[in-house]
Structure formats: C-alpha cells, structure tokens
Amino acid sequence: MVNKQFLGYALLLLALIAAPFLGAYPILVIKLLCFALFASAFNLLLGFTGFLSFGHAAFLGSAGYAAGHVMKVWGWTPELGLLAGMVAGAALGGLFGLFAIRRQGIYFSMITLALAQMFFFFCLQAPFTGGEDGLQGVPRGKLFGLLDLSSDLVMYYVGLVIVVAAFLLIVRTVHSPFGQILKAIKENEPRAISLGYDTNRFKLIAFMISAGLSGLAGALKTEVLGFATLSDVHWSMSGSVILMTLVGGLGTLSGPLVGAAVVIALENKLGEVGNWIAAVSGIEWFKSLGESVSLVTGLIFVVCVMAFRRGIMGEIIALRDRLRAKR
Amino acid sequence: MEIFGRPLSAMLSQLLLGLVNGSFYAILSLGLAVIFGLLNVINFAHGALFMLGAVLAWMGLEYLGVNYWVMLFAAPLIVALLGIVIERLFLKRIYKLDHLYGLLLTLGLTLVIEGVLRSFYGVSGLPYSAPEALSGATDLGFMVLPNYRAWVVLASLVVCVGTWYVIERTKLGAYLRAGTENPRLVEAFGVNVPLMVTLTYGFGVALAAFAGVLAAPVIQISPLMGQNLIIVVFAVVVIGGMGSILGSILTGLGLGIIEGFTKVFYPEASSTVVFVIMAIVLLFRPAGLFGKEK
C-alpha cells in the first residue's frame, strides 16, 4: 500500500516535471504550487495539531513583502530573498503564537484573525508596502548570483525543487517524534502534559514552522510574479487557505495539494463555468457567475461542513480503507 | 477650552462617535455571547446579518416606502426568521462536532449572504438618511449634539440593559442560563431545549439586525459593511471574555470610547487600537477582563 502511495506521488512529480512541455503555462502551475505549499503548511497546524488559525494570510503576505523589499530595494539575491521571507513569516508566527496559544479552541481562531487584521492595517499604512498599489516590479535576479531566473522555464524548475523540498520537510515533520507529540497534544493535551511535555512550547514551534513555510510560499510567489499586494494579507486569503484544506481533506498530506488545485482552478475558471451553465440551462444569470466568486466559495464551505467533512482525499482514503476491510 | 492641546468640542464629538461605535460593538458582542453560551457556535455570520439589517431598512424605504421606525422592528424580525431557518437547516446538525465547524459554516453563510447582495447592489454605498424627527442637532452650550447619534446610544443602551434584565432576572433567563450550564439536565426537567436554542439564535441575530438598522443612517450601507466590523467585535469578545452579559456591554462601550479618543490623539492607530488592547489583555488576563478561567 505504501508503494501505491509512493507511486501516486511519483506520477504527480513526473507530471509536474513534464507539465511545461505538455502545454501548461509554467507561471500558472508554479503559482498553484505556491498555494499548494501554503495549504500544506496551514494543514500542518490544523490537521495535525488541531489549531484553526484564521490569520495565515499575514504570514504569506508579510513574507511576500519582505522578500520583495530585500530583492528590489536592497538588491539581495533570490535565495536570500526567499530566506528573508521565510524568516519574516516564522518571526511573525512566533509573535502571533505568543498571544494566540494562551487561549484554545475557538478563541485561538478569533485571536489569530484579529492579529492578522491588525497586520493588514499596518501593511495598509506602512511606507514600504506601497499601500493600495502594492510592491511592484520585484526583479527575479540570479540564483546564487549564477542562474538567471528571468526565463519562465528556469524559474519553474527552481520553484518546483523548492516546493517539493518543503513538502518533503512537512512529511518528515509529521512522521517525526516531534509530529507524534503534536498528535498526542491534539488527541489529549492533559495527558501529554502529565507525560512531561511542555505542550505550549511544542504548539509554538509547530505554529512557527507552519508560519515559516507559509512565508516560503509567499516569498516564492513574489519571486515568480514580481509583485506583492494587500490581497495576500487580507483575511479572505486566510479564508481561502482554510477552504483549500477543507476541500482537499483535513489532516491528510495529499489533501491540501488537491484542494489548492481545485480552489485556484475554480477562482480562475468560474466565469467560463458560468457561461457554460448559462448556455446549457438558458438562464442568463449564470453568465455573471464569474463575478460571484465569494458566493460560490461560501456555498462550497457550507456543503463541505454539512456533508463532505473528510474532503476529497479524505473520502478516497476512507473508501480505500473500506474496500480493504471487505477483502 | 483645550485638553492636552486638543479642543474640547472636538474631543466631545469624537467621544460621542466612539460611544456610537461602542454601542454597535456592545450589541453585537452581546449577541455573540448569548449565541455562544447556548449553541457553542461562534457566529461569524453576525456581521453579515448586521449588514442585512441595514440593507433591509434601505430596501423597505426604497421599494415599499416603509419608514425607519417600522423597519427598526420589521428588519430584526425578518432576520430572526432567517436565523431560525439557518439554525434548523444547518447549525442544528453540527452541534456535536468540533467548534471549528460552526465557525466555518457561518463563514460560508456570510460569504453566501454577502455574495447574493453584492450581485444585486455592488459594493458602493447606498444612501439612507436619518428619520426627520431625529435629524438636526441640539446645542448643549459646550457642544453641538447631533440628535440621531444620541438616539443610537440611548436605544442601544435600552436594548442591552433589557437583554441583561431578561437573562439575569427573569424565569426565561434562568432557563437560558441553566441551558448554558447543562442542557441535558434542563431537558430532563421538561424544558424544550432544542426550541430554546433555535429561538436564542433567532434573538441573537435579531440583535445584530437591530444594530444594523440603527447604523444605516450613520455608516455607508454596503454588502461588505459587516466584514471589518465582525473582526473588531471578535477582538472585543476576546477582551471581555464571554462569561458575562454586563461584561460584554461594558467592554463594547469602553472600547468604542477608547477608539474615539485614539482618533483625536493618534489617528493612524485608530483602526488597530482595539487589536493592540486585545494583545495586552491576553498577556495579563488570558481569559479576558470578565471571563472565568476554566
């Protein structure tokens, strides 16, 4: 069974390596991969420690601004830019964590949301973010001063390597003794405490890892697209990443990847889907579906919570287990 | 007359504005607390239903010619009915699950409600003026008091104190508090708890809609007007703690006033001051000012 899983990931990786030659636009794919990494980092926190952070946009966005600023204004090389983004995300995560882990459950979500909103207003007013216009024209630069990233194809493969490495790190974290302790805290915190674990420290570290990897995703996004904007720090981005994880499958490793693909595709293709429905059903209203992204995401949220809590990959895994049990 | 280099009249008018905002915080956090107490759901849709109250007031005048005073009662009633439908259709089925699903479900409902209204009215503001009886201002000698703002503060206080009285001093309120403590035991005594839960949700969201109608003439009405407000109210709830009704009212009003003063002395921080206070309170009293540590 492990082999089959491995085969699945290998096929996905092969497809991603071949994607630019199969007609996929590399920048779109790498943007999708950034969100897949973002959702995986988010899921590391929610799925494996049970903390619903409603402020992850702040980590994605702060890293985007940090990476953009050091590369554009200070002329740092891309690898240092990515590192700066990751550090910015992790540091902000540590700061948020100091406040947020003092409360549990639903309060944790509200506190992270409020802190992220505070950070949003900070970004709106701070001079280096460019306010409403955002940070524009970030140069891609040369990796280690050698490899020119201005070619989309080179950028794509560098980005792919980074995302795959980060994903492997997440897999490793989940299966490490550290990951097991996180699971123990999720299942029964008082027992974990009585076993002698300083649970607050573990929670804070998990929060910082998740924030740092979200930061990496944000920095890579800025590196690829060349800009960082306020929409990345807005709370609706935190909502998006929750939706990706929920649709893909909470607490599964592959779920966030699938979820990110579904949600991003939906946001980009909703207009076309609407036109198609309008053509088939003859109802004019559907033609404006492309402008109602929030309405559709809201409906998906409702459907997921009411009837589809395991998400796509969660359902597949459950189906597989049921079939295996019959055999 | 000046205080700390700022004219007194400017301070007083900001104080009043702060009280107006504080009234909205108080009503909204009160509703959130009542709902959370019995349903264990953080109602993210509270902001959207606040907005719906304001939009209904506007729609009443625009399409039916129904005036402000009628809508002040009709809009909360309509929103309460909608709330009852939401509770019966959706919330009822997820009480046994983790709290986070309640938040996610109501977030989804928020996006749906806002999305529907956006597809009709866009995001630009809809104009709505205060009723004639309350337009104009009264000169108090030391400041000019806009009548409508005074009315908002007064009406909110009456509603908040009334809610406090019902919950803390009547038999119905006693059932409610008992239901918050131990719903199964209360049910065993023959109280119809599911009905009580449904009506509580209806009442909580009706409060939000009432605040929405009150806000209609002073805030730009738009489908997105509830979004930023609900996040501030979450911070208010974290600061006050959800343990006490009076606590939510006082916290809401107090934070509104602090926000008003921040606008006078350091306007750049006026949008973040509530969040900063939240962070400070978390450091010293993690359970909130009026909350009890479990």
Side-chain angles (χ1 to χ4, degrees), chain A residues 46 50-52 54 98-100 102-103 105-122 124-125 186 234-236 238-240 242-243 246 250 285 288 291-306 309-310, chain B residues 32 36 42 44 89-91 93-94 97-105 107-116 118-120 227-228 231-232 234-235 237-238 241-243 267-269 271-272 275-276 278-280 282-288 292-293:
Chain A
L46 176 58
F51 277 102
L52 172 63
F54 218 125
L98 277 182
F99 298 105
R102 287 165 175 268
R103 299 302 301 272
I106 211 73
Y107 282 99
F108 181 88
S109 310
M110 289 197 285
I111 293 165
T112 44
L113 177 59
L115 290 172
Q117 183 78 349
M118 180 162 92
F119 187 72
F120 173 80
F121 283 119
F122 169 75
L124 189 63
Q125 292 170 349
K186 184 189 177 192
H234 192 251
W235 71 264
S236 54
S238 302
S240 270
I242 296 173
L243 186 65
L246 193 64
L250 246 177
W285 181 86
S288 62
E291 290 140 40
S292 312
V293 175
S294 82
L295 174 62
V296 175
T297 44
L299 283 174
I300 298 175
F301 257 117
V302 173
V303 170
C304 278
V305 172
M306 297 309 295
R309 279 185 290 275
R310 286 197 200 119
Chain B
L32 274 186
F36 184 75
I42 279 292
F44 200 100
L89 272 183
F90 302 113
L91 290 173
R93 297 167 209 278
I94 59 159
L97 302 174
D98 195 318
H99 288 355
L100 72 92
Y101 288 108
L103 186 72
L104 296 182
L105 177 70
L107 167 65
L109 292 171
T110 303
L111 294 174
V112 170
I113 295 169
E114 286 178 354
V116 168
R118 252 171 98 165
S119 72
F120 285 108
Q227 278 196 356
N228 290 333
I231 301 179
V232 178
F234 278 177
V237 162
V238 172
M242 281 190 288
E268 288 83 3
S271 49
T272 46
F275 304 122
V276 174
M278 178 192 81
I280 296 170
L282 279 172
L283 284 181
F284 295 104
R285 272 189 73 94
K292 282 169 228 123
E293 195 81 61

Side-chain angles (χ1 to χ4, degrees), chain B residues 30 34 158-168 203 207 245:
Chain B
L30 177 67
V34 171
V158 168
V159 166
C160 284
V161 172
T163 307
W164 170 81
Y165 182 83
V166 169
I167 292 178
E168 299 288 340
F203 174 71
L207 280 180
I245 301 283

